[in-house]
Amino acid sequence: MLITGAELADGRVRDVRVRGETIDAVGQGLDAAAGERIVDARGRHLLPGAIDVHVHFREPGASHKETWTSGSRGAAAGGVTTVVDQPNTSPPTVDGDAFDEKAALAAPSLVDYGINGGVTGDWDPESLFERPLFALGEVFLADSTGDMGIATDLFEDALAEAAARDVPVTVHAEDETLFDADALDGDLGGAGTAANADAWSAYRTAEAEVAAVERALAAGAESDAQVHVAHTSTPEAIDAVRDAGATCEVTPHHLFLSRADAGRLGTFGRMNPPLRSEARRAGVFERLRDGDVDVVATDHAPHTVAEKRHGLTEAPSGVPGVETLYPLLLEAVRKGNLTLERVRDVVAANPASIFGLEAKGRIEPGADADLVVVDLTNPREIEAGALHGAAGWTPFEGLLGVFPELTTVRGTVVYERDPVTGAESFGDAGGRNVRDLAPSEGDAA
């Protein structure tokens, strides 16, 4: 495949040749070989595929919410070429047998993937670390996030195990002792009311996140483990991570939504950490723009419409988002609020660097041909009915996004959309565990 006349994130206009699974050449005036497919990308941008290091594809145990097939279709249609699945499935991925079960279920994935291992009181690190594990995490520090919550001593044990094996640890940091139970008192109304949604934000306080982040960073420094803080939702937590020399991610919902959206979202806006004030949201976005945020990842956590319509204390936490990651950020570029290079870094280059994916996240000879073609002049409204995940809804309904026209994973076209007719097509399953992928020839040299 030869992609011609594409503008890269740094403004250079280049042709890119794909041969097999890798990028063979990046240059100008590259000649087409006999029978080679030509993709005319003039007037469009070519970006590295996004690496979403935080998804919940729900298999095993909750395939009615999402499957590896539906989740990876959404990823491919959104320009995400690698996903990292979290361990809080049923059974949780806390031992070798559970890892093997999830790995078998991932076979239909269109995109490459990593599988994180979890930490509970009955986890089996020996069998878990024998598998091609991506990282430990999302390791929960708040018991109320579910049955994966752990005590401080177990967290420290997990850090020590990970440090000994040079495996990163992704942390969900909220201190439940600082939650405000009074916020859940009184008449909160139905599932779609502003009072209901906003109460969840008042309950899971910003102070609870900041305190737990500081505790996780201190424990990481003590153990010499590589700590990556998931879904930071406050400027204060991001600043603490930066000052400690660790890394963090933020989500699109904490970048583009706030407590001001409570009335529209109701319990569909319940997630952990919760939506913050508009001032804090703006502060998080500012830190993204200025370079203090390392990664944007979705915490894609789909639930059905029926499940999210329950009352505040019964509705599950989480929102879908893997398909809208790149589109929302690219729309921010189109509006002049972010640079394209910054977006490339936080969704591709930085995740690849932080988690040791040497062949991914860049458009260079020898790198995996994980590529996305987009037209920044052609945004469209985000509509749940046009998305491909199983949830059937999105918290970003009605917002604009810039969606891909072409997505490739290691040189194979996994998604294509006609920009005129809107006709879509998907490739065949071919995703592989990134920890099983051998380094490309260019990386080994």
Side-chain angles (χ1 to χ4, degrees):
M1 177 187 297
L2 181 64
I3 302 172
T4 62
E7 185 173 345
L8 306 184
D10 60 10
R12 294 178 298 151
V13 176
R14 293 290 186 268
D15 303 333
V16 174
R17 167 166 282 118
V18 173
R19 195 182 303 277
E21 295 190 346
T22 62
I23 296 171
D24 180 66
V26 178
Q28 293 177 296
L30 298 181
D31 294 328
E36 186 174 37
R37 178 181 175 180
I38 308 298
V39 176
D40 183 356
R42 288 174 297 178
R44 290 164 171 77
H45 283 83
L46 182 67
L47 303 170
I51 302 168
D52 189 347
V53 298
H54 196 145
V55 306
H56 301 265
F57 275 3
R58 301 304 190 197
E59 285 190 309
S63 57
H64 66 286
K65 300 174 189 279
E66 191 79 282
T67 66
W68 279 92
T69 297
S70 62
S72 68
R73 283 170 65 92
V80 174
T81 55
T82 301
V83 297
V84 178
D85 194 63
Q86 303 304 323
N88 59 332
T89 43
S90 181
T93 317
V94 295
D95 57 37
D97 289 344
F99 183 99
D100 293 344
E101 180 181 1
K102 180 173 287 189
L105 289 166
S109 180
L110 290 175
V111 303
D112 285 345
Y113 56 87
I115 298 175
N116 275 358
V119 180
T120 64
D122 57 356
W123 75 309
D124 180 5
E126 291 303 322
S127 66
L128 198 55
F129 283 115
E130 288 175 353
R131 270 62 177 179
L133 197 67
F134 187 84
L136 282 187
E138 166 188 14
V139 178
F140 293 107
L141 294 186
D143 290 342
S144 57
T145 58
D147 60 5
M148 299 288 287
I150 63 174
T152 299
D153 57 348
L154 183 54
F155 176 62
E156 292 173 350
D157 290 344
L159 290 176
E161 293 275 6
R165 295 169 171 83
D166 196 26
V167 172
V169 180
T170 297
V171 182
H172 178 132
E174 288 182 283
D175 184 346
E176 65 177 356
T177 67
L178 297 177
F179 291 172
D180 183 5
D182 290 342
L184 301 183
D185 290 343
D187 182 10
L188 298 174
T193 66
N196 198 320
D198 201 50
W200 196 250
S201 295
Y203 167 57
R204 301 180 81 101
T205 65
E207 292 76 18
E209 175 179 275
V210 176
V213 166
E214 291 173 345
R215 179 159 57 94
L217 294 170
E222 180 70 22
S223 65
D224 202 29
Q226 179 187 342
V227 169
H228 176 77
V229 182
H231 45 51
T232 46
S233 65
T234 63
E236 299 93 329
I238 295 169
D239 292 346
V241 173
R242 177 200 61 207
D243 293 345
T247 60
C248 71
E249 68 194 48
V250 301
T251 71
H253 45 271
H254 291 124
L255 287 168
F256 297 104
L257 303 173
S258 73
R259 292 174 72 168
D261 295 285
R264 175 176 68 87
L265 292 171
T267 49
F268 287 81
R270 174 182 152 162
M271 74 279 290
N272 304 328
L275 296 177
R276 303 299 185 191
S277 68
E278 177 59 23
R280 279 200 164 95
R281 183 212 64 80
V284 169
F285 194 96
E286 178 183 356
R287 283 156 177 78
L288 168 66
R289 185 195 64 212
D290 294 346
D292 293 326
V293 170
D294 304 285
V295 173
V296 178
T298 63
D299 191 10
H300 172 79
H303 302 283
T304 67
V305 170
E307 289 167 335
K308 293 295 280 188
R309 280 181 174 157
H310 290 304
L312 179 61
T313 56
E314 293 81 26
S317 290
V319 298
V322 68
E323 189 167 348
T324 48
L325 168 63
Y326 240 148
L328 287 164
L329 292 171
L330 292 174
E331 173 62 10
V333 172
R334 191 185 71 86
K335 293 192 296 189
N337 296 328
L338 291 172
T339 68
L340 195 54
E341 288 178 289
R342 185 79 187 110
V343 170
R344 173 204 62 194
D345 289 348
V346 295
V347 302
N350 290 355
S353 176
I354 290 167
F355 291 99
L357 303 178
E358 293 88 354
K360 295 190 179 293
R362 54 194 173 88
I363 300 179
E364 297 174 5
D368 285 351
D370 299 343
L371 301 169
V372 181
V373 176
V374 299
D375 181 359
L376 284 174
T377 69
N378 188 26
R380 60 187 174 93
E381 193 171 287
I382 296 172
E383 301 176 272
L387 302 178
H388 300 85
W393 64 279
T394 170
F396 306 110
E397 187 80 33
L399 276 63
L400 290 179
V402 177
F403 286 82
E405 295 179 0
L406 181 77
T407 304
T408 71
V409 174
R410 286 179 287 106
T412 296
V413 175
V414 294
Y415 174 77
E416 194 163 7
R417 176 176 59 86
D418 187 302
V420 177
T421 67
E424 298 176 300
S425 62
F426 290 90
D428 296 327
R432 291 163 57 191
N433 187 330
V434 292
R435 296 302 191 209
D436 280 338
L437 291 173
S440 68
E441 187 175 320
D443 292 315

